């Protein structure tokens, strides 16, 4: 573990505003590892306290929280940049940090910290009180913000690096991960592991039990467009979607702050499970085909629109793949009725939105008992999913137990693979909620390390306490 | 090998232009969740004639040429999209297809074919002051174009898939490659291999002899920026570059067709070799730091510019890493004096541009014997690198032998790792030249397969003839 005055340093930087000239120097050593087919011993390339797999905001927030408390942390990311769906998939909305009544803040922590930092770069637009958006951000600026967070916190980054396999000792303990990158395969040893891979790759390959919900929410390839006009697009879509083989679905989008580009989330790829390699390749290519179909439709029928394609994601936006069996599964009713947990480590108010695999459109279920079926180009259908009750819940919670799998003492997860039933997951899955899971995983791993304990034995009161001390809202 | 009427099918697609509704169906079979823990034997996931590693335009063009002739081809790409530096690196310029006198076309083949296809999507701007002009591409559209090419020609794509290790039989013969992706490690068996990884990863891990030049051309992180004003930027840079720790270098850029974005190539990262993992991570982060520094400088000192960051690459733009010892090394004089080769498979006219590691700016050398040292904000320094001659060469050539590594039977390289000396490489390296290397590697591998020969034993006359038949300009 490290002993440094990092906090002081961080607050200097965070307070800095524009013109940050001097980021900390790199501490990389540029040793080259030799390679020959005969080379069968794999080198140990690092030994750390906590190794985080997957560098989405969830993963980075886990790493930062653990590192701020004093752990030595490494983070492994397959892409060239941190941020996951928020950056590499271009999804640039974080939902409301308030409860459903907009009268109480329920989310803070690093989500708020990053929003503040981004606002120094004019990379944030704050929305009106809305069930569909809290802030819109510039995802490219977020990539750079996360680089800075990782470097400031003294976390060792491994970009362009694939997690390959778990490394178990002779007694079956998880002692390291095998990674693969430009320098070849190597081992990162660690005492604790946070699986933030989205698909739960480490858990899965370590033989932890997993399951796939019956209807997987479909993935979406987003795109940046210049000259976008949503209204015209929707009317063209309704008329011509068949000609261009554009699946009916749900279309949303948002302006990219500080630019004239529009982020369109207008594709969906059905019947794929993106934790399977072939499905992932297929989804990427089919997603881009749909973007081209949309562009071709606009070129043919909306000539005065002058729409130009500015950006495509470097990783398709995946909503859901497998879930990992944990100490507790969040049930549909836990979420729908806003159940309070003693070990709650996250709060959420995003509506439950069921992306159907079997029909176009979405069904939104709200905590006040109402629901709306929404299909582009058709009137909304409103009704109730339950009878009125005297007091409606205004947020739901996620218990720590739903991110702790059982098989290993030193492994926990953070992200969409949490143990949650199908409808509960449809609301919990959004980024402002996942961000909190990352922070909780980072703090929990740190406490386990500090107290030399299995993760499941860490006292959840202490986790909640430490989360609150570090800026999280704990209710 | 396959036996089908692909050509006819292809023509109908290529001729189709808008509204291509019916791309060939995917032939992926969905796999059930299967746990790989404890599995020692790696599964063979495919057996093909030719396996291409790396899906840049070079790699895709290799695959397409081989597949059009009838080979069964797989292509492995680490990113989510094909196109390499052109797409994932955001570098959106293809240099002239004419000789230096603009009186003779020297490059055609798939480069010309793709330019034509893209022009149907308004995705190409030709700087038409003369035939020496260059092409500016919308490289997001190029991603989709390459998807279509790959699918149209029945090539099996593996996206998000890392090449891990060579797979040798008992006698040490290369019979497959081990790849790693969401479904875990597996083997792709093939009869011939095209290493289009840029860094020559397959060659390197086979232990083939490689070398690195004294001065590596530095990598660049490009960015899409809206509202960019190059003139104002250059004067700000000269004045305030130091305050923001922006290295002096060489800045160029180009408008992205059909959009309001400007592609700025304004960063450079010195002293790194991106074929090593730590350097690659360092480079990605430092490149983005420089982008932020540029934007912070503009925000602080000329707020009227309103520059907004729209896009960052998913892979830093790498100019050069290692080269491989092949049957022939292209020497500086070969290139500078435009030597003609009996086994020439590519022609080029791009200027030699030495990106110095030891000082700012670039030195350009032309085939007519002149040179110019250019540093942003300073006047050009002109001179001659050789005396006048009666007749100046108007293009240079790349021989097939410079792609065939020594001591191998079924392996050929295509791309920047070719065997070339330092100054020759500075001109040869650009995409319109690399594209041709891909096409030559594809055709050569096909001929070796068809004639059941070692790659070294394929007649270069046959290669040149087959390249010309398929649309390449062979001189």
């Amino acid at each position: 573990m490290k002993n440094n005055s990092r906090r002081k340093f961080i607050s200097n930087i965070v307070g800095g505003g524009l013109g940050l000239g001097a980021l900390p120097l790199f501490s990389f050593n540029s040793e080259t590892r030799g390679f020959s087919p005969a080379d069968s011993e794999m080198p140990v390339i690092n030994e750390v306290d906590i190794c985080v797999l997957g560098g989405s905001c969830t993963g980075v927030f886990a790493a930062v929280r653990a590192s701020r408390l004093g752990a030595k942390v490494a983070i492994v990311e397959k892409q060239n940049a941190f941020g996951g769906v928020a950056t590499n998939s271009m999804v640039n909305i974080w939902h409301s940090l308030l409860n459903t009544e907009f009268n109480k803040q329920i989310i803070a922590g690093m989500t708020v910290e990053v929003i503040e930092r981004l606002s120094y770069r004019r990379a944030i637009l704050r929305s009106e009180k809305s069930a569909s958006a809290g802030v819109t951000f510039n995802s490219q600026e977020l990539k750079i913000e996360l680089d800075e967070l990782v470097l400031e916190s003294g976390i060792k980054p491994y970009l362009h690096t694939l997690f390959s396999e778990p490394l178990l000792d002779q007694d079956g303990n998880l002692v390291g991960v095998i990674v693969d990158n430009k320098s070849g395969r190597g081992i990162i040893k660690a005492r604790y592991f946070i699986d933030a891979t989205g698909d739960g790759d480490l858990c899965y390959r370590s033989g932890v039990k997993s399951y796939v919900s019956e209807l997987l929410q479909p993935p979406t390839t987003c795109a940046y467009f210049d000259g976008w006009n949503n209204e015209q697009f929707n009317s063209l879509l309704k008329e011509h979607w068949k000609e261009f083989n554009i699946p009916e679905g749900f279309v949303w989008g948002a302006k990219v702050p500080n630019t004239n580009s529009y982020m369109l989330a207008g594709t969906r790829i059905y019947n794929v499970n993106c934790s399977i390699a072939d499905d992932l390749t297929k989804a990427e290519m089919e997603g881009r085909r749909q973007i081209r179909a949309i562009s071709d439709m606009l070129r043919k029928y909306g000539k005065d629109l002058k729409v130009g394609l500015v950006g495509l994601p470097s990783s398709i936006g995946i909503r859901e793949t497998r879930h990992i069996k944990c100490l507790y599964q969040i049930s549909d009713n836990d979420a729908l009725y806003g159940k309070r947990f003693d070990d709650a480590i996250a709060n959420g108010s995003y509506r439950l939105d069921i992306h159907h695999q079997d029909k176009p459109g979405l069904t939104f279920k709200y905590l006040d008992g109402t629901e709306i079926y929404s299909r582009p180009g058709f009137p909304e259908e409103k009704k109730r999913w339950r009878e009125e009750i005297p007091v409606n819940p205004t947020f739901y919670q996620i218990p720590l137990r739903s991110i702790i799998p059982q098989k290993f003492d030193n492994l926990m997860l953070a992200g969409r693979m949490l143990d949650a039933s199908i409808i509960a997951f449809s609301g919990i899955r959004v980024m402002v909620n996942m961000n909190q899971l990352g922070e909780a995983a980072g703090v929990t791993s740190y406490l386990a390390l500090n107290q030399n304990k299995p993760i499941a034995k860490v006292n959840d009161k202490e986790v909640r306490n430490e989360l609150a001390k570090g800026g999280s809202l704990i209710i | 090998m396959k036996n089908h009427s692909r050509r006819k099918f292809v023509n109908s697609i290529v001729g189709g232009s808008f509204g291509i509704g019916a791309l060939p169906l995917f032939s992926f079979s969905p796999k059930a969740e299967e746990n790989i823990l404890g599995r020692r034997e790696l599964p063979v996931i495919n057996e093909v004639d030719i396996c291409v590693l790396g899906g840049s335009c070079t790699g895709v063009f290799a695959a397409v040429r081989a597949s059009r002739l009838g080979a069964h081809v797989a292509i492995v790409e680490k990113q989510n999209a094909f196109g390499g530096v052109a797409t994932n690196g955001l570098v959106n310029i293809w240099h002239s297809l004419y000789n230096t006198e603009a009186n003779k076309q020297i490059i055609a083949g798939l480069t010309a074919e793709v330019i034509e296809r893209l022009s149907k999507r308004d995705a190409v701007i030709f700087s038409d002051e003369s035939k020496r002009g260059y092409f500016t591409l919308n490289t997001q559209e190029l991603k989709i174009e390459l998807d279509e090419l790959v699918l149209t020609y029945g090539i099996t794509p593996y996206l998000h898939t890392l090449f891990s290790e060579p797979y040798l039989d008992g006698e040490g013969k290369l019979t497959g490659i081990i790849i790693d992706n969401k479904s875990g490690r597996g083997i792709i068996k093939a009869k011939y291999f095209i290493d289009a990884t840029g860094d020559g990863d397959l060659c390197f891990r086979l232990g083939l002899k490689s070398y690195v030049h004294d001065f590596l051309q530095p990598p660049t992180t490009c960015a899409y920026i809206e509202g960019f004003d190059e003139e104002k930027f250059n004067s700000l840079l000269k004045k305030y570059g130091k305050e923001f720790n922006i290295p002096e270098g060489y800045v160029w850029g180009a408008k992205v067709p059909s959009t309001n974005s400007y592609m700025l190539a304004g960063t450079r990262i010195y002293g790194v070799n991106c074929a090593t993992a730590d350097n690659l991570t360092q480079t990605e982060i430092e490149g983005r730091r420089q982008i932020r520094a540029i934007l912070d400088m503009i925000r602080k000192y000329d707020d009227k510019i309103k520059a907004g960051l729209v896009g960052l690459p998913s892979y830093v733009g790498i100019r050069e890493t290692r080269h491989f010892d092949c049957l022939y090394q292209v020497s500086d004089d070969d290139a500078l004096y435009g030597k003609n080769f009996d086994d020439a498979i590519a022609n080029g006219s791009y200027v030699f541009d030495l990106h110095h590691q030891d000082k700012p700016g670039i030195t350009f050398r032309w085939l007519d014997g002149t040179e110019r040292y250019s540093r942003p904000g300073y006047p050009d320094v002109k001179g001659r690198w050789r005396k006048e001659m009666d007749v100046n060469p108007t293009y240079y050539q790349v021989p097939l032998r410079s792609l065939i590594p020594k001591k191998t039977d079924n392996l050929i390289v295509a791309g920047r790792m070719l065997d070339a000396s330092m100054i020759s490489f500075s001109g040869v390296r650009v995409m319109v030249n690399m594209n041709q290397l891909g096409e030559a590697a594809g055709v050569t591998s096909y001929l070796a397969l068809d004639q059941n020969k070692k790659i070294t034993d394929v007649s270069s006359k046959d290669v040149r003839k087959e390249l010309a038949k398929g649309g390449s300009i062979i001189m």
Side-chain angles (χ1 to χ4, degrees):
Chain A
M1 276 191 268
K2 294 171 302 179
N3 239 333
N4 59 6
S5 60
R6 191 185 293 121
R7 248 169 215 279
K8 215 187 282 170
F9 177 60
I10 287 163
S11 43
N12 276 343
I13 295 272
V14 172
L18 298 186
L20 283 192
L23 271 176
L25 288 172
F26 284 97
S27 59
F28 300 105
N29 49 358
S30 52
E31 107 269 34
T32 314
R33 302 205 299 275
F35 256 96
S36 80
D39 211 0
S40 55
E41 282 270 304
M42 235 181 283
V44 174
I45 58 173
N46 207 345
E47 288 197 56
V48 295
D49 295 327
I50 298 172
C51 181
V52 180
L53 297 162
S56 69
C57 293
T58 305
V60 170
F61 290 2
V64 170
R65 291 299 289 254
S67 183
R68 281 183 180 175
L69 291 167
K72 187 182 174 200
V73 183
I75 188 163
V76 174
E77 168 57 41
K78 187 238 167 199
Q79 297 299 115
N80 79 327
F82 296 112
V85 165
T87 60
N88 298 320
S89 308
M90 309 199 312
V91 180
N92 67 334
I93 284 205
W94 280 351
H95 295 96
S96 172
L97 309 183
L98 307 176
N99 66 355
T100 55
E101 299 291 317
F102 304 108
N103 58 16
K104 183 185 169 79
Q105 187 172 350
I106 58 167
I107 301 172
M110 296 211 61
T111 304
V112 167
E113 199 176 316
V114 165
I115 290 171
E116 259 170 50
R117 291 173 67 128
L118 283 173
S119 65
Y120 290 124
R121 263 77 186 197
R122 290 186 216 125
I124 288 281
L125 285 175
R126 288 169 205 272
S127 324
E128 296 295 305
K129 291 170 180 174
S130 156
S132 61
V135 296
T136 311
F137 50 83
N138 181 312
S139 294
Q140 308 304 319
E141 295 279 3
L142 177 58
K143 283 184 187 171
I144 310 176
E145 214 61 61
L146 295 171
D147 285 345
E148 290 190 2
L149 265 175
V150 165
L151 292 182
E152 286 164 23
S153 308
I155 296 159
K156 169 75 183 180
Y158 292 91
L159 296 177
H160 288 298
T161 300
L162 196 74
F163 158 69
S164 181
E165 293 176 82
L167 180 73
L168 307 182
D169 70 9
Q170 285 176 333
D171 303 323
N173 297 310
L174 179 63
V175 295
V177 289
I178 300 172
V179 298
D180 203 342
N181 61 26
K182 274 289 166 194
S183 292
R185 277 157 72 79
I187 296 164
I188 298 174
K189 289 197 167 177
R191 296 184 57 200
Y192 293 85
F193 298 86
I194 297 173
D195 183 343
T197 56
D199 301 320
D201 291 328
L202 172 57
C203 293
Y204 180 65
R205 292 186 192 178
S206 305
V208 177
K209 264 192 200 148
S210 63
Y211 61 94
V212 177
S213 294
E214 261 173 64
L215 288 179
L216 277 181
Q217 295 216 6
T220 289
T221 297
C222 296
Y224 287 173
F225 286 102
D226 263 348
W228 189 257
N229 181 320
N230 227 348
E231 216 168 295
Q232 286 188 52
F233 167 69
N234 276 324
S235 74
L236 287 176
L237 186 64
K238 201 177 166 188
E239 212 174 325
H240 303 292
W241 63 273
K242 269 197 185 147
E243 177 184 342
F244 294 91
N245 191 16
I246 303 167
E248 261 201 287
F250 182 77
V251 176
W252 65 276
K255 191 175 171 295
V256 181
N258 220 14
T259 77
N260 295 308
S261 287
Y262 184 81
M263 193 289 291
L264 178 79
T267 66
R268 49 192 50 221
I269 298 95
Y270 291 105
N271 299 314
V272 290
N273 176 349
C274 288
S275 65
I276 297 168
D278 279 352
D279 275 17
L280 180 57
T281 291
K282 174 180 162 184
E284 290 282 7
M285 294 175 95
E286 169 59 15
R288 286 192 290 266
R289 186 200 66 76
Q290 291 182 28
I291 297 291
R292 169 153 283 185
I294 288 169
S295 305
D296 281 350
M297 179 183 76
L298 297 174
R299 276 187 279 251
K300 186 169 175 185
Y301 293 108
K303 284 206 170 90
D304 50 328
L305 276 178
K306 293 245 174 281
V307 167
L309 180 62
V310 184
L312 285 169
S314 58
S315 203
I316 186 172
I318 299 169
R319 291 187 174 84
E320 183 177 22
T321 61
R322 63 171 77 91
H323 296 273
I324 305 294
K325 205 74 199 111
C326 290
L327 298 175
Y328 183 84
Q329 185 190 50
I330 305 169
S331 72
D332 290 346
N333 280 343
D334 287 348
L336 283 164
Y337 289 91
K339 178 168 177 177
R340 305 289 277 267
F341 293 99
D342 286 345
D343 64 336
I345 43 81
N347 312 302
S349 62
Y350 180 65
R351 57 193 174 182
L352 306 153
D353 68 352
I354 298 149
H355 290 240
H356 307 287
Q357 284 269 11
D358 54 343
K359 61 176 176 182
L362 289 185
T363 297
F364 296 108
K365 290 197 178 186
Y366 296 86
L367 292 178
D368 68 1
T370 58
E371 73 173 33
I372 294 173
Y373 173 64
S374 174
R375 181 181 175 188
F378 294 82
E380 287 182 342
E381 295 165 31
K382 290 185 188 178
K383 55 182 189 187
R384 297 194 62 82
W385 60 265
R386 65 156 166 80
E387 283 167 20
E388 301 259 12
I389 48 179
V391 183
N392 292 318
T394 63
F395 62 92
Y396 44 79
Q397 295 197 307
I398 302 168
L400 181 60
R401 285 163 294 158
S402 67
I403 57 173
I404 302 178
Q406 297 184 52
K407 190 172 172 184
F408 296 96
D409 286 345
N410 59 345
L411 169 61
M412 72 186 301
L413 51 92
R416 65 173 186 247
M417 72 296 252
L418 87 163
D419 199 351
S421 63
I422 186 161
I423 295 175
F425 179 73
S426 76
I428 286 172
R429 68 186 174 81
V430 298
M431 290 188 270
V432 288
N433 296 342
M434 295 298 106
N435 290 350
Q436 298 172 79
L437 300 193
E439 297 183 64
V443 164
T444 308
S445 303
Y446 166 77
L447 290 174
L449 172 76
N450 188 241
Q451 299 166 5
N452 202 18
K453 268 184 186 167
I455 280 172
K457 294 272 162 61
V458 174
N459 181 329
D460 54 60
K461 279 203 190 87
E462 287 181 48
V463 172
R464 284 164 53 88
N465 206 14
E466 200 61 62
L467 277 168
K469 265 181 20 196
S472 301
L473 271 172
I474 293 299
I475 308 176
Chain B
M1 275 191 270
K2 294 172 298 182
N3 237 333
H4 59 181
S5 60
R6 193 188 288 119
R7 248 167 217 279
K8 217 187 277 169
F9 175 60
V10 168
N11 289 337
S12 69
I13 296 272
V14 171
S17 97
F18 292 162
I20 293 182
L23 273 176
L25 287 173
F26 284 95
S27 58
F28 301 106
S29 53
K31 277 185 213 138
E33 291 265 298
E34 178 199 354
N35 210 304
I36 62 153
L37 184 72
R39 186 166 62 196
R40 287 273 154 264
E41 289 260 306
L42 293 178
V44 174
I45 59 170
N46 206 344
E47 287 197 58
V48 295
D49 295 326
I50 298 170
C51 182
V52 180
L53 290 91
S56 69
C57 293
T58 306
V60 170
F61 289 4
V64 169
R65 291 299 289 254
S67 185
R68 278 184 181 173
L69 291 168
H72 185 190
V73 183
I75 187 164
V76 173
E77 168 56 41
K78 186 237 168 201
Q79 299 299 113
N80 79 327
F82 297 111
V85 165
T87 59
N88 301 319
L90 301 182
V91 180
N92 67 333
I93 288 227
W94 279 355
H95 295 98
S96 173
L97 308 185
Y98 274 72
N99 67 351
T100 55
E101 298 292 313
N103 57 18
K104 188 182 171 74
Q105 187 172 354
I106 58 169
I107 302 171
L110 277 162
T111 304
E113 200 175 316
V114 165
I115 288 171
E116 244 170 68
R117 291 173 68 128
L118 283 173
S119 65
K120 291 180 183 153
R121 261 77 185 200
D122 305 322
V124 182
I125 298 171
F126 181 55
S127 72
D128 54 357
E129 62 268 16
S130 80
K131 286 181 172 155
R132 280 296 298 157
Y134 53 86
F135 300 88
T136 311
L137 314 176
N138 180 317
T139 58
Q140 306 303 315
E141 295 279 2
L142 177 58
K143 283 184 188 172
I144 310 176
E145 214 60 62
L146 295 170
D147 284 347
E148 289 190 5
L149 269 175
V150 165
L151 292 179
T152 301
Y153 295 104
I155 298 158
T156 306
Y158 293 91
L159 295 177
H160 288 296
T161 299
L162 196 73
F163 158 68
S164 180
E165 293 176 82
Y167 181 78
L168 310 180
D169 70 7
E171 280 129 46
K173 184 179 158 62
L174 177 67
T175 57
I177 55 159
I178 301 172
I179 53 100
D180 203 341
N181 61 26
K182 274 289 167 195
S183 290
R185 279 157 69 80
I187 298 165
I188 298 175
K189 289 198 168 177
K191 297 192 182 101
Y192 295 87
F193 298 86
I194 297 173
D195 183 342
T197 56
D199 302 319
D201 292 328
L202 173 57
C203 294
F204 186 65
R205 290 179 195 185
L206 279 167
L208 300 184
K209 209 169 160 199
S210 63
Y211 59 94
V212 177
H213 287 143
D214 284 341
F215 287 106
L216 278 180
Q217 296 216 3
T220 289
T221 297
C222 296
Y224 286 175
I225 298 176
E226 268 185 24
F228 195 79
D229 182 325
E230 187 151 347
E231 212 169 299
K232 282 186 180 164
F233 169 69
N234 277 325
S235 73
L236 286 178
L237 186 63
K238 199 174 166 190
K239 222 163 151 185
Y240 304 110
K242 270 202 183 136
E243 176 184 341
F244 294 89
N245 193 14
I246 302 168
E248 262 201 280
Y250 182 77
V251 176
W252 66 276
K255 190 177 173 294
V256 182
S258 266
T259 77
N260 299 313
S261 282
Y262 182 82
M263 193 290 292
L264 178 77
T267 66
R268 50 192 49 221
I269 299 94
Y270 291 106
V272 291
N273 176 353
C274 288
T276 62
D278 277 351
N279 274 200
L280 181 58
T281 293
Q282 175 189 357
T283 299
E284 292 283 7
I285 294 176
E286 169 60 15
R288 286 192 291 264
R289 185 200 66 77
Q290 291 182 27
I291 298 291
R292 169 156 284 187
I294 287 169
L295 292 167
D296 281 351
M297 178 183 76
I298 294 172
R299 281 187 277 247
K300 184 167 175 188
Y301 289 108
D302 194 343
D303 212 33
K304 282 184 219 101
I305 292 182
K306 294 249 176 277
L309 182 61
V310 181
L312 284 169
S314 61
Y315 211 120
V316 62
I318 297 169
R319 291 187 174 85
E320 183 176 20
T321 62
R322 57 171 87 93
H323 299 272
F324 284 85
D325 257 10
C326 291
L327 300 177
Y328 184 85
Q329 184 188 51
V330 184
S331 73
D332 290 348
D333 281 355
D334 288 346
L336 284 164
Y337 289 90
K339 178 168 176 175
N340 281 296
F341 292 99
D342 286 346
D343 64 336
I345 44 79
N347 312 302
S349 63
Y350 179 67
V351 58
F352 303 96
D353 65 354
L354 288 108
H355 290 239
H356 308 288
Q357 287 269 11
D358 54 343
K359 60 178 178 184
I362 285 187
T363 297
F364 294 104
R365 284 189 182 177
W366 280 271
L367 291 174
D368 68 0
T370 59
E371 73 172 25
R372 190 180 80 208
Y373 173 64
S374 177
R375 183 181 174 189
Y378 294 82
D380 285 345
V381 183
K382 286 183 188 177
R384 293 195 65 83
W385 60 266
R386 66 156 166 82
K387 291 184 188 154
E388 303 259 10
M389 304 193 301
D390 293 339
V391 182
N392 292 319
T394 63
Y395 62 92
Y396 45 79
Q397 295 197 308
V398 182
L400 180 60
R401 284 163 294 158
S402 66
L403 307 183
I404 304 176
K406 288 175 185 159
K407 294 181 192 161
T408 59
D409 296 339
N410 59 348
L411 171 60
I412 185 167
V413 305
R416 63 173 187 248
M417 71 296 253
L418 87 161
D419 198 352
S421 61
M422 196 158 105
I423 296 176
S424 72
F425 180 72
S426 76
V428 167
R429 69 187 175 82
V430 298
M431 289 187 271
V432 288
N433 297 342
M434 294 299 106
N435 290 350
Q436 298 172 80
L437 304 194
E439 297 183 65
V443 165
T444 307
S445 305
Y446 166 77
L447 289 174
L449 171 77
D450 187 49
Q451 300 165 5
N452 200 19
K453 269 185 185 167
K454 294 179 184 178
I455 280 178
T456 41
D457 293 341
V458 173
S459 149
S460 58
K461 280 202 189 90
D462 286 351
V463 173
R464 284 162 53 88
K465 205 195 286 170
E466 201 60 63
L467 277 168
K469 260 175 37 189
S472 302
I473 292 179
I474 293 298
M475 295 189 292

